[in-house]
Amino acid sequence: MARRFAREDYRVAVSGRSLDKLQTVVADIEANGGKANAIVADSGIEADVLAAIAQVNELGTLRAAIFNVGNSVSKPALELSAELFEQTWRASTLGGFLFAREATRTLLANGGGSLLFTGATASLRGKPPYTAFAAGKAGLRSVSQSFAREFGPQNVHVAHVVIDGSIDGERVKSRAPDYLAKLGEDGALRLEDIADAYWYLHTQPAAPGPRSWTCGHSRNSSDTGGGYGSPSDSTRTCIRIRGA
């Protein structure tokens, strides 16, 4: 996603806990003529989030904020410690709230913009052995819906994107190459298609009326509705990107 936005002449700030990984992304963007900065931060630590948004504000005018934290914890419920459950919740739900709160303050001051959240199949339903992961992602989805209804009328475009399938990225390639091969050429979601969907969400026009919304699509996707939030309970705030 950072590379996709950089191609549109956006200066992007990539944030995470590993400076080495961040610098790899920054170097790739810069090698292709883009502008990028690395910001080390832990999404579950409030001071880190505050400092990260402050650094972003020093770089320019924030127009799009994307919360893309993932920690797919797999542990049977009876073996799941309170500490691990809390860590997972902090990364997804608490981290998403902290990020959204601080980013929204900046977006409102700038006259509006996009606030996008990355969800997963677990955002919609829980199953073993992903109890902690599902709880964190479901909480994040509720955070996004609440922000959409509160700040959509103030020109903050909020969307929660459900990535409903395996991603053809380095993590799956390194951890489960046989599974990826079994899915076939069109069985996994391409990173480029997901990034295109996020760019579409950021640039889509506001739909007229409190009960209207427009939807995002990418290859291998079917939407469940998404768009500008409104006070109406009928407003949908998520799209689903689904694998084959």
Side-chain angles (χ1 to χ4, degrees), residues 63-143:
R63 293 302 183 196
I66 303 174
F67 187 76
N68 190 43
V69 173
N71 56 344
S72 183
V73 173
S74 173
K75 198 80 170 178
L78 299 186
E79 300 175 16
L80 182 62
S81 68
E83 181 181 11
L84 182 56
F85 186 94
E86 182 178 348
Q87 287 175 356
T88 308
W89 167 81
R90 279 184 169 276
S92 291
T93 308
L94 178 61
F97 163 71
L98 294 172
F99 178 85
R101 185 189 68 188
E102 297 309 310
T104 299
R105 285 173 172 164
T106 296
L107 291 171
L108 290 173
N110 293 340
S114 299
L115 176 62
L116 310 179
F117 299 86
T118 298
T121 308
S123 303
L124 305 175
R125 61 180 182 272
K127 71 173 185 178
Y130 300 101
T131 301
F133 180 62
K137 283 298 186 182
L140 178 64
R141 181 168 177 255
S142 291
V143 168

Coordinates of all heavy atoms in Angstrom, one line a residue, residues 63-143:
R63 N -3.4 13.2 4.5 CA -4.7 13.0 3.8 C -5.2 11.6 3.9 O -6.4 11.4 3.7 CB -4.4 13.4 2.3 CG -4.1 14.8 2.0 CD -5.2 15.7 2.5 NE -4.9 17.1 2.1 CZ -5.6 18.1 2.7 NH1 -6.6 17.9 3.6 NH2 -5.3 19.4 2.4
A64 N -4.4 10.7 4.1 CA -4.8 9.3 4.2 C -4.1 8.6 5.4 O -2.8 8.6 5.4 CB -4.6 8.5 2.9
A65 N -4.8 7.9 6.3 CA -4.2 7.2 7.4 C -4.7 5.8 7.3 O -5.9 5.5 7.3 CB -4.6 7.8 8.7
I66 N -3.8 4.8 7.2 CA -4.1 3.4 7.1 C -3.6 2.6 8.2 O -2.4 2.6 8.5 CB -3.6 2.8 5.7 CG1 -4.1 3.7 4.6 CG2 -3.9 1.4 5.6 CD1 -3.4 3.3 3.2
F67 N -4.5 1.9 8.9 CA -4.1 1.0 10.1 C -4.0 -0.4 9.5 O -5.0 -1.0 9.2 CB -5.1 1.1 11.2 CG -4.6 0.4 12.4 CD1 -3.7 0.9 13.3 CD2 -5.2 -0.8 12.8 CE1 -3.2 0.2 14.4 CE2 -4.8 -1.5 13.9 CZ -3.8 -1.0 14.7
N68 N -2.8 -0.9 9.4 CA -2.6 -2.2 8.7 C -1.8 -3.2 9.6 O -1.0 -3.9 9.2 CB -1.8 -2.0 7.4 CG -1.8 -3.2 6.5 OD1 -2.8 -3.9 6.4 ND2 -0.6 -3.5 6.0
V69 N -2.2 -3.2 10.9 CA -1.5 -4.1 11.9 C -2.1 -5.5 11.8 O -3.3 -5.6 11.8 CB -1.6 -3.5 13.3 CG1 -1.0 -4.4 14.3 CG2 -0.9 -2.1 13.4
G70 N -1.2 -6.5 11.8 CA -1.7 -7.8 11.8 C -0.8 -8.7 12.7 O 0.4 -8.6 12.7
N71 N -1.5 -9.5 13.6 CA -0.8 -10.4 14.5 C -1.6 -11.7 14.6 O -2.3 -11.9 15.6 CB -0.5 -9.8 15.8 CG -1.8 -9.3 16.5 OD1 -2.8 -9.1 15.9 ND2 -1.7 -9.0 17.8
S72 N -1.6 -12.5 13.6 CA -2.5 -13.7 13.5 C -2.0 -14.8 14.5 O -1.4 -15.7 14.2 CB -2.5 -14.3 12.1 OG -3.3 -15.4 12.0
V73 N -2.4 -14.6 15.8 CA -2.0 -15.5 16.9 C -2.9 -16.8 16.8 O -4.1 -16.7 16.7 CB -2.2 -14.8 18.2 CG1 -2.0 -15.8 19.4 CG2 -1.3 -13.7 18.4
S74 N -2.2 -17.9 16.8 CA -2.9 -19.2 16.7 C -2.6 -20.0 18.0 O -1.5 -20.4 18.2 CB -2.4 -20.0 15.5 OG -3.0 -21.3 15.5
K75 N -3.6 -20.2 18.8 CA -3.4 -20.8 20.1 C -4.8 -21.4 20.6 O -5.7 -20.7 20.6 CB -2.9 -19.9 21.1 CG -2.2 -20.5 22.3 CD -0.8 -20.9 22.0 CE 0.0 -21.3 23.3 NZ 1.3 -21.8 23.0
P76 N -4.8 -22.7 20.9 CA -6.1 -23.2 21.5 C -6.5 -22.5 22.7 O -5.7 -22.0 23.5 CB -5.7 -24.7 21.9 CG -4.5 -25.0 21.0 CD -3.8 -23.7 20.8
A77 N -7.8 -22.3 22.9 CA -8.3 -21.4 23.9 C -7.8 -21.8 25.3 O -7.5 -20.9 26.1 CB -9.8 -21.4 23.9
L78 N -7.8 -23.1 25.6 CA -7.4 -23.5 27.0 C -5.9 -23.4 27.2 O -5.4 -23.5 28.4 CB -7.8 -24.9 27.2 CG -9.4 -25.1 27.2 CD1 -9.7 -26.6 27.6 CD2 -10.1 -24.1 28.0
E79 N -5.1 -23.1 26.2 CA -3.7 -22.9 26.3 C -3.3 -21.4 26.1 O -2.2 -21.0 26.2 CB -2.9 -23.7 25.2 CG -3.2 -25.2 25.3 CD -2.5 -26.0 24.2 OE1 -1.6 -25.4 23.5 OE2 -2.9 -27.1 24.0
L80 N -4.3 -20.6 25.9 CA -4.1 -19.1 25.7 C -4.0 -18.4 27.0 O -4.9 -18.4 27.8 CB -5.3 -18.6 24.9 CG -5.3 -17.1 24.4 CD1 -4.1 -16.9 23.5 CD2 -6.6 -16.8 23.7
S81 N -2.8 -17.8 27.2 CA -2.6 -17.0 28.4 C -3.3 -15.7 28.4 O -3.5 -15.1 27.3 CB -1.1 -16.8 28.7 OG -0.6 -16.0 27.7
A82 N -3.6 -15.1 29.5 CA -4.2 -13.8 29.6 C -3.2 -12.7 29.0 O -3.6 -11.8 28.3 CB -4.5 -13.4 31.0
E83 N -1.9 -13.0 29.2 CA -0.9 -12.0 28.6 C -0.9 -12.0 27.1 O -0.9 -10.9 26.5 CB 0.5 -12.4 29.1 CG 1.6 -11.5 28.6 CD 3.0 -11.9 29.1 OE1 3.1 -13.1 29.6 OE2 3.9 -11.2 28.9
L84 N -1.0 -13.2 26.5 CA -1.0 -13.2 25.0 C -2.3 -12.7 24.5 O -2.3 -12.0 23.4 CB -0.8 -14.7 24.5 CG -0.7 -14.9 23.0 CD1 0.4 -14.0 22.4 CD2 -0.5 -16.4 22.7
F85 N -3.4 -13.0 25.1 CA -4.7 -12.4 24.7 C -4.6 -10.9 24.7 O -5.1 -10.2 23.8 CB -5.8 -13.0 25.6 CG -7.2 -12.5 25.1 CD1 -7.9 -13.4 24.3 CD2 -7.7 -11.3 25.5 CE1 -9.2 -13.0 23.8 CE2 -9.0 -10.9 25.1 CZ -9.7 -11.8 24.2
E86 N -4.1 -10.4 25.8 CA -4.1 -8.9 26.0 C -3.1 -8.3 24.9 O -3.4 -7.2 24.3 CB -3.6 -8.5 27.4 CG -3.6 -7.0 27.6 CD -3.2 -6.6 29.0 OE1 -3.2 -7.5 29.9 OE2 -2.9 -5.4 29.2
Q87 N -2.0 -8.9 24.7 CA -1.0 -8.4 23.7 C -1.7 -8.3 22.3 O -1.5 -7.4 21.5 CB 0.2 -9.3 23.6 CG 1.1 -9.2 24.8 CD 2.3 -10.2 24.7 OE1 2.3 -11.1 23.8 NE2 3.2 -10.2 25.6
T88 N -2.5 -9.4 22.0 CA -3.2 -9.4 20.7 C -4.2 -8.3 20.6 O -4.4 -7.6 19.6 CB -3.8 -10.8 20.5 OG1 -2.8 -11.8 20.7 CG2 -4.4 -10.9 19.1
W89 N -5.0 -8.2 21.7 CA -6.0 -7.1 21.7 C -5.4 -5.7 21.6 O -5.9 -4.8 20.9 CB -6.8 -7.2 23.0 CG -7.7 -6.1 23.3 CD1 -8.9 -5.8 22.8 CD2 -7.3 -5.0 24.2 NE1 -9.4 -4.6 23.3 CE2 -8.4 -4.1 24.2 CE3 -6.3 -4.7 25.0 CZ2 -8.5 -2.9 25.0 CZ3 -6.3 -3.6 25.8 CH2 -7.4 -2.7 25.8
R90 N -4.3 -5.5 22.3 CA -3.6 -4.2 22.3 C -3.1 -3.9 20.9 O -3.3 -2.7 20.4 CB -2.4 -4.2 23.2 CG -2.7 -4.0 24.7 CD -1.5 -3.9 25.6 NE -1.8 -3.4 26.9 CZ -2.0 -2.2 27.2 NH1 -1.8 -1.2 26.3 NH2 -2.3 -1.8 28.4
A91 N -2.6 -4.8 20.2 CA -2.1 -4.5 18.8 C -3.2 -4.2 17.9 O -3.1 -3.2 17.1 CB -1.3 -5.8 18.3
S92 N -4.3 -4.9 18.0 CA -5.4 -4.6 17.0 C -6.4 -3.6 17.5 O -6.6 -2.6 16.9 CB -6.1 -6.0 16.7 OG -5.3 -6.8 15.9
T93 N -7.1 -3.9 18.6 CA -8.2 -3.1 19.0 C -7.8 -1.8 19.6 O -8.1 -0.7 19.2 CB -9.2 -3.8 20.0 OG1 -9.5 -5.1 19.4 CG2 -10.4 -3.0 20.3
L94 N -6.9 -1.9 20.7 CA -6.5 -0.7 21.3 C -5.6 0.1 20.4 O -5.7 1.4 20.3 CB -5.7 -1.0 22.6 CG -5.1 0.2 23.3 CD1 -6.1 1.1 23.8 CD2 -4.2 -0.3 24.5
G95 N -4.7 -0.5 19.6 CA -3.8 0.2 18.7 C -4.7 0.9 17.6 O -4.4 2.0 17.2
G96 N -5.7 0.2 17.1 CA -6.6 0.8 16.1 C -7.3 2.0 16.6 O -7.4 3.0 15.9
F97 N -7.7 2.0 17.9 CA -8.4 3.1 18.5 C -7.4 4.3 18.6 O -7.7 5.4 18.3 CB -9.0 2.8 19.8 CG -9.3 4.0 20.7 CD1 -10.4 4.8 20.3 CD2 -8.5 4.3 21.8 CE1 -10.7 5.9 21.1 CE2 -8.8 5.4 22.5 CZ -9.9 6.3 22.2
L98 N -6.2 4.0 19.2 CA -5.3 5.1 19.4 C -4.9 5.7 18.1 O -4.8 7.0 18.0 CB -4.0 4.5 20.1 CG -4.2 4.0 21.5 CD1 -2.9 3.3 22.0 CD2 -4.6 5.2 22.5
F99 N -4.6 4.9 17.1 CA -4.3 5.4 15.8 C -5.4 6.2 15.2 O -5.2 7.4 14.7 CB -3.9 4.2 14.9 CG -3.6 4.6 13.4 CD1 -2.3 5.0 13.1 CD2 -4.5 4.6 12.5 CE1 -2.0 5.4 11.8 CE2 -4.2 5.0 11.1 CZ -2.9 5.3 10.8
A100 N -6.6 5.7 15.3 CA -7.8 6.4 14.7 C -8.0 7.7 15.4 O -8.3 8.8 14.8 CB -9.0 5.5 14.8
R101 N -7.9 7.7 16.7 CA -8.1 9.0 17.5 C -7.2 10.1 17.1 O -7.6 11.2 16.8 CB -8.0 8.7 19.0 CG -8.4 9.9 19.9 CD -8.0 9.6 21.3 NE -6.6 9.5 21.5 CZ -6.0 9.1 22.6 NH1 -6.7 8.7 23.7 NH2 -4.7 9.0 22.7
E102 N -5.9 9.7 17.0 CA -4.9 10.8 16.7 C -4.9 11.2 15.3 O -4.8 12.3 14.9 CB -3.5 10.3 17.1 CG -3.4 10.0 18.6 CD -3.8 11.2 19.5 OE1 -3.4 12.3 19.2 OE2 -4.6 10.9 20.4
A103 N -5.1 10.2 14.4 CA -5.2 10.5 12.9 C -6.4 11.3 12.6 O -6.3 12.3 11.8 CB -5.2 9.2 12.1
T104 N -7.5 11.0 13.3 CA -8.7 11.8 13.0 C -8.6 13.2 13.5 O -9.1 14.2 12.8 CB -9.9 11.1 13.7 OG1 -10.1 9.8 13.2 CG2 -11.2 11.9 13.5
R105 N -7.9 13.4 14.6 CA -7.7 14.8 15.1 C -7.0 15.6 14.0 O -7.3 16.8 13.7 CB -6.9 14.8 16.4 CG -7.7 14.4 17.6 CD -6.8 14.3 18.8 NE -7.7 14.1 20.0 CZ -7.2 13.6 21.2 NH1 -5.9 13.3 21.3 NH2 -8.0 13.4 22.2
T106 N -6.0 15.0 13.4 CA -5.2 15.7 12.3 C -6.0 15.8 11.1 O -6.0 16.9 10.4 CB -3.9 14.9 12.0 OG1 -3.1 14.9 13.2 CG2 -3.2 15.5 10.9
L107 N -6.8 14.8 10.7 CA -7.6 14.9 9.4 C -8.7 16.0 9.6 O -8.9 16.7 8.6 CB -8.2 13.5 9.2 CG -7.3 12.4 8.7 CD1 -8.0 11.1 8.7 CD2 -6.7 12.7 7.4
L108 N -9.3 16.1 10.7 CA -10.3 17.1 10.9 C -9.7 18.5 10.8 O -10.2 19.4 10.2 CB -10.9 16.9 12.3 CG -11.9 15.7 12.5 CD1 -12.3 15.6 13.9 CD2 -13.1 15.9 11.6
A109 N -8.5 18.7 11.4 CA -7.8 19.9 11.3 C -7.4 20.3 9.9 O -7.3 21.5 9.5 CB -6.5 19.9 12.2
N110 N -7.2 19.2 9.1 CA -6.8 19.4 7.7 C -8.0 19.5 6.7 O -7.8 19.6 5.5 CB -5.9 18.3 7.2 CG -4.5 18.3 7.9 OD1 -4.2 19.3 8.5 ND2 -3.9 17.2 7.9
G111 N -9.2 19.4 7.2 CA -10.4 19.6 6.4 C -10.9 18.2 5.9 O -11.9 18.2 5.1
G112 N -10.4 17.1 6.4 CA -10.9 15.8 6.0 C -9.9 14.9 5.4 O -8.7 15.3 5.2
G113 N -10.3 13.7 5.0 CA -9.3 12.7 4.4 C -9.8 11.3 4.7 O -11.0 11.1 5.0
S114 N -9.0 10.4 4.5 CA -9.4 9.0 4.6 C -8.7 8.3 5.8 O -7.6 8.5 6.1 CB -9.0 8.2 3.3 OG -9.6 8.7 2.2
L115 N -9.5 7.4 6.5 CA -9.1 6.6 7.6 C -9.5 5.2 7.3 O -10.7 4.8 7.3 CB -9.7 7.1 8.9 CG -9.4 6.3 10.1 CD1 -7.9 6.3 10.5 CD2 -10.2 6.8 11.3
L116 N -8.5 4.4 6.9 CA -8.8 3.0 6.4 C -8.2 2.0 7.4 O -7.0 2.1 7.9 CB -8.2 2.8 5.0 CG -8.5 3.9 4.0 CD1 -7.9 3.6 2.7 CD2 -10.0 4.0 3.8
F117 N -8.9 0.9 7.7 CA -8.5 -0.1 8.6 C -8.4 -1.5 7.8 O -9.3 -1.8 7.0 CB -9.5 -0.3 9.7 CG -9.7 0.9 10.6 CD1 -10.6 1.9 10.2 CD2 -9.0 1.0 11.8 CE1 -10.8 3.0 11.1 CE2 -9.2 2.1 12.6 CZ -10.1 3.1 12.2
T118 N -7.4 -2.3 8.1 CA -7.3 -3.6 7.5 C -7.9 -4.6 8.5 O -7.4 -4.8 9.6 CB -5.9 -4.0 7.2 OG1 -5.4 -3.0 6.2 CG2 -5.8 -5.4 6.6
G119 N -8.9 -5.4 8.1 CA -9.5 -6.4 8.8 C -9.1 -7.8 8.2 O -8.3 -7.9 7.3
A120 N -9.8 -8.8 8.7 CA -9.6 -10.2 8.2 C -10.9 -11.0 8.3 O -11.9 -10.5 8.8 CB -8.5 -10.8 9.1
T121 N -10.8 -12.2 7.8 CA -12.0 -13.0 8.0 C -12.4 -13.1 9.5 O -13.6 -13.1 9.8 CB -11.7 -14.5 7.5 OG1 -11.1 -14.4 6.2 CG2 -12.9 -15.3 7.5
A122 N -11.4 -13.1 10.4 CA -11.7 -13.1 11.8 C -12.5 -11.9 12.3 O -13.0 -11.9 13.4 CB -10.4 -13.3 12.6
S123 N -12.5 -10.8 11.5 CA -13.3 -9.7 11.9 C -14.8 -10.0 12.0 O -15.5 -9.3 12.7 CB -13.1 -8.5 10.9 OG -11.7 -8.2 10.8
L124 N -15.2 -11.0 11.2 CA -16.6 -11.3 11.0 C -17.0 -12.5 11.8 O -18.2 -12.7 12.2 CB -16.9 -11.5 9.6 CG -16.6 -10.4 8.6 CD1 -16.8 -10.8 7.2 CD2 -17.3 -9.1 9.0
R125 N -16.1 -13.4 12.1 CA -16.4 -14.7 12.8 C -15.2 -15.2 13.5 O -14.1 -15.2 13.0 CB -17.1 -15.7 11.9 CG -16.2 -16.2 10.8 CD -16.9 -17.2 9.9 NE -16.0 -17.7 8.8 CZ -15.9 -17.2 7.6 NH1 -16.5 -16.1 7.3 NH2 -15.1 -17.7 6.7
G126 N -15.4 -15.8 14.6 CA -14.3 -16.4 15.4 C -14.3 -17.9 15.2 O -15.4 -18.6 14.9
K127 N -13.2 -18.5 15.2 CA -13.0 -20.0 15.2 C -11.7 -20.4 15.8 O -10.8 -19.6 15.8 CB -13.1 -20.5 13.7 CG -11.9 -20.2 12.9 CD -12.0 -20.9 11.5 CE -10.7 -20.7 10.7 NZ -10.8 -21.4 9.4
P128 N -11.7 -21.6 16.3 CA -10.4 -22.1 16.9 C -9.4 -22.4 15.8 O -9.8 -22.7 14.7 CB -10.8 -23.4 17.6 CG -12.0 -23.9 16.9 CD -12.7 -22.6 16.5
P129 N -8.1 -22.2 16.1 CA -7.5 -21.7 17.4 C -7.2 -20.2 17.3 O -6.1 -19.8 17.8 CB -6.2 -22.6 17.4 CG -5.8 -22.7 16.0 CD -7.1 -22.7 15.1
Y130 N -8.1 -19.4 16.8 CA -7.8 -18.0 16.6 C -8.6 -17.1 17.5 O -9.0 -16.0 17.1 CB -8.0 -17.6 15.2 CG -7.1 -18.4 14.2 CD1 -7.6 -19.4 13.5 CD2 -5.8 -18.0 14.0 CE1 -6.9 -20.2 12.6 CE2 -5.0 -18.7 13.1 CZ -5.5 -19.8 12.4 OH -4.7 -20.5 11.6
T131 N -8.9 -17.6 18.7 CA -9.7 -16.8 19.7 C -9.2 -15.4 19.9 O -10.0 -14.4 19.8 CB -9.8 -17.6 21.0 OG1 -10.4 -18.9 20.8 CG2 -10.7 -16.8 22.0
A132 N -8.0 -15.3 20.2 CA -7.4 -13.9 20.5 C -7.4 -13.1 19.3 O -7.8 -11.9 19.4 CB -6.0 -14.1 21.1
F133 N -7.0 -13.6 18.2 CA -6.9 -12.8 16.9 C -8.3 -12.3 16.5 O -8.5 -11.2 16.2 CB -6.3 -13.7 15.8 CG -6.2 -13.0 14.5 CD1 -5.4 -11.9 14.3 CD2 -6.9 -13.5 13.4 CE1 -5.3 -11.3 13.1 CE2 -6.8 -12.9 12.2 CZ -6.0 -11.8 12.0
A134 N -9.3 -13.2 16.6 CA -10.7 -12.9 16.2 C -11.2 -11.8 17.2 O -11.9 -10.9 16.7 CB -11.6 -14.1 16.3
A135 N -11.0 -11.9 18.4 CA -11.4 -10.9 19.4 C -10.8 -9.5 19.1 O -11.5 -8.5 19.1 CB -11.1 -11.3 20.8
G136 N -9.6 -9.5 18.8 CA -8.9 -8.2 18.4 C -9.4 -7.6 17.2 O -9.7 -6.4 17.1
K137 N -9.6 -8.5 16.1 CA -10.1 -8.0 14.8 C -11.6 -7.5 14.9 O -12.0 -6.6 14.2 CB -9.9 -9.0 13.8 CG -8.4 -9.2 13.3 CD -8.0 -7.9 12.6 CE -6.6 -8.0 12.0 NZ -6.1 -6.7 11.5
A138 N -12.4 -8.3 15.7 CA -13.8 -7.9 15.8 C -13.9 -6.5 16.5 O -14.7 -5.7 16.2 CB -14.5 -9.0 16.6
G139 N -13.0 -6.3 17.5 CA -13.0 -5.1 18.2 C -12.6 -3.9 17.3 O -13.2 -2.8 17.3
L140 N -11.6 -4.2 16.4 CA -11.2 -3.2 15.5 C -12.3 -2.8 14.5 O -12.5 -1.6 14.2 CB -10.0 -3.7 14.7 CG -9.4 -2.7 13.6 CD1 -8.9 -1.5 14.3 CD2 -8.3 -3.4 12.8
R141 N -13.1 -3.8 14.1 CA -14.2 -3.5 13.2 C -15.2 -2.6 13.9 O -15.7 -1.6 13.2 CB -14.8 -4.8 12.8 CG -16.0 -4.7 11.8 CD -16.4 -6.0 11.2 NE -17.6 -5.9 10.4 CZ -18.8 -6.3 10.7 NH1 -19.0 -6.8 11.9 NH2 -19.8 -6.2 9.9
S142 N -15.5 -2.8 15.1 CA -16.4 -2.0 15.9 C -15.9 -0.5 16.0 O -16.6 0.4 15.9 CB -16.7 -2.5 17.2 OG -17.5 -3.7 17.1
V143 N -14.6 -0.4 16.3 CA -13.9 0.9 16.3 C -14.2 1.6 15.0 O -14.5 2.8 15.0 CB -12.4 0.8 16.6 CG1 -11.7 2.1 16.4 CG2 -12.2 0.3 18.1

